[in-house]
Amino acid sequence: MIREYTEKVSGYKSDWLIILRVGLGFALIVKGIMFIQNNALIRQVFSESLLLKKYLWLHTFIPWINLLGGVLIVVGLYTRLMVTIQIPVLIGAIVFVGAKDGVYQGETGLLLSVSVLLLLVLFLIKGPGTNFLDHSLRFNKEN
């Protein structure tokens, strides 16, 4: 039953959803590269938070999670898994960074993070579609 639902929902052929998925992946790649170039920013957020101070080691993984997740979302491979991994990272960005800065500070970081989170939830439900690697690998395995 779950497999039938998954196949039905993830079989969309809308070009605009594919463009959104690829755009989401590229946004995550860019953010990952920015975090790799400026790792001190993530380290600062973690060290300033009482809750996150225990998990300071995560500042090393977050850029790579964004980068790898973005690449796999672009090509449509393990999309739901990558989206599931990205969602806690985005929730952390919204709670610990966006809530501190606020919506009306002139920065669009919080709005962008909320938008990306909504897209991640959309692709968690919809899946990668039929035009990319997940579908091709699944189709070849069944034949």
Side-chain angles (χ1 to χ4, degrees):
M1 182 172 156
I2 294 174
R3 183 178 175 168
E4 292 172 6
Y5 172 75
T6 302
E7 289 174 0
K8 183 178 178 182
V9 169
S10 66
Y12 63 85
K13 295 182 183 190
S14 299
D15 291 337
W16 67 273
L17 281 173
I18 293 169
I19 292 169
L20 270 179
R21 183 178 53 76
V22 170
L24 172 66
F26 280 126
L28 291 170
I29 291 169
V30 168
K31 200 62 166 174
I33 291 170
M34 288 172 56
F35 282 151
I36 289 170
Q37 290 175 343
N38 191 5
N39 201 297
L41 177 67
I42 300 176
R43 188 174 183 84
Q44 178 185 0
V45 169
F46 273 76
S47 62
E48 289 176 356
S49 170
L50 295 174
L51 182 62
L52 293 177
K53 204 174 265 193
K54 293 185 244 180
Y55 305 105
L56 190 60
W57 54 272
L58 276 176
H59 85 279
T60 307
F61 293 105
I62 289 175
W64 297 103
I65 289 170
N66 280 343
L67 195 61
L68 177 66
V71 168
L72 291 178
I73 289 170
V74 166
V75 298
L77 185 62
Y78 301 114
T79 303
R80 285 194 172 108
L81 174 65
M82 289 299 111
V83 164
T84 304
I85 292 170
Q86 294 291 328
I87 287 175
V89 173
L90 260 293
I91 290 173
I94 291 168
V95 169
F96 293 106
V97 178
K100 183 180 79 171
D101 294 342
V103 178
Y104 303 108
Q105 295 295 325
E107 293 285 329
T108 58
L110 180 60
L111 293 174
L112 180 63
S113 294
V114 169
S115 301
V116 169
L117 180 62
L118 291 174
L119 286 173
L120 288 171
V121 170
L122 172 71
F123 289 110
L124 179 63
I125 295 167
K126 288 286 194 178
T130 57
N131 293 345
F132 285 91
L133 244 38
D134 269 348
H135 179 71
S136 299
L137 292 175
R138 199 175 311 144
F139 183 71
N140 286 338
K141 188 185 284 186
E142 291 174 359
N143 287 337

